[in-house]
Amino acid sequence: MDRHVESRLKKELVIWLVTASSDGRPQAVPVWFLWDGRSFLIHAQDGAKVNHIKVNPNVELHLNSDEVGDDVVRVSGIATVALSPAAHTNAAYMRKYGRSIRDLGQRPAEFSGQYRNAIRVRRLRFH
């Protein structure tokens, strides 16, 4: 992976997470994420994303392209779901999203209670 991609993964606020339902229908949703250099961490509410991953752990992650469709970052990997340590106790996550959480009118601990699932994407393949 080159420095430009690494920089984008650290700075971008949203990545698209693509999962598939049990009948194979894809679902792409924008999510907040934390890149640690080896894996992605996504805090999620209970719902479709979590349910899909429990059935089919194969996922795709995409950053937005530029306005002409260049500068594409696309990653496939294997996702796992676990009850997360509270998002607000993760210093890196709070540096990246603390202000956004407060801008939504939430306290960090309240956000952690709602987004209690930790989706970790590993075994990555960059395309």
Side-chain angles (χ1 to χ4, degrees):
M1 170 185 354
D2 67 26
R3 294 170 109 178
H4 175 71
V5 170
E6 183 75 29
S7 175
R8 286 193 66 199
L9 290 172
K10 288 182 179 178
K11 292 178 184 176
E12 298 272 343
L13 294 178
V14 172
I15 199 164
W16 288 83
L17 172 66
V18 183
T19 61
S21 65
S22 59
D23 65 1
R25 291 180 187 209
Q27 178 183 0
V29 293
V31 295
W32 289 351
F33 72 101
L34 195 61
W35 167 248
D36 67 9
R38 295 178 313 197
S39 68
F40 292 89
L41 171 64
I42 299 161
H43 290 282
Q45 295 177 317
D46 293 335
K49 290 185 295 283
V50 169
N51 294 338
H52 291 174
I53 290 167
K54 287 179 178 177
V55 172
N56 180 357
N58 297 291
V59 300
E60 291 267 339
L61 296 160
H62 306 167
L63 289 179
N64 288 331
S65 68
D66 64 16
E67 60 277 353
V68 295
D70 289 331
D71 202 11
V72 174
V73 176
R74 196 174 131 236
V75 185
S76 57
I78 305 298
T80 57
V81 178
L83 286 181
S84 68
H88 74 279
T89 64
N90 182 320
Y93 193 86
M94 290 310 297
R95 275 192 303 278
K96 190 171 182 181
Y97 295 110
R99 182 175 182 188
S100 297
I101 291 168
R102 289 186 292 279
D103 287 348
L104 290 172
Q106 290 188 309
R107 294 183 331 272
E110 179 184 14
F111 174 88
S112 292
Q114 291 176 355
Y115 290 79
R116 63 191 195 103
N117 298 290
I119 298 171
R120 182 67 72 173
V121 183
R122 295 184 175 99
R123 294 178 33 200
L124 306 173
R125 181 170 162 244
F126 285 81
H127 304 276

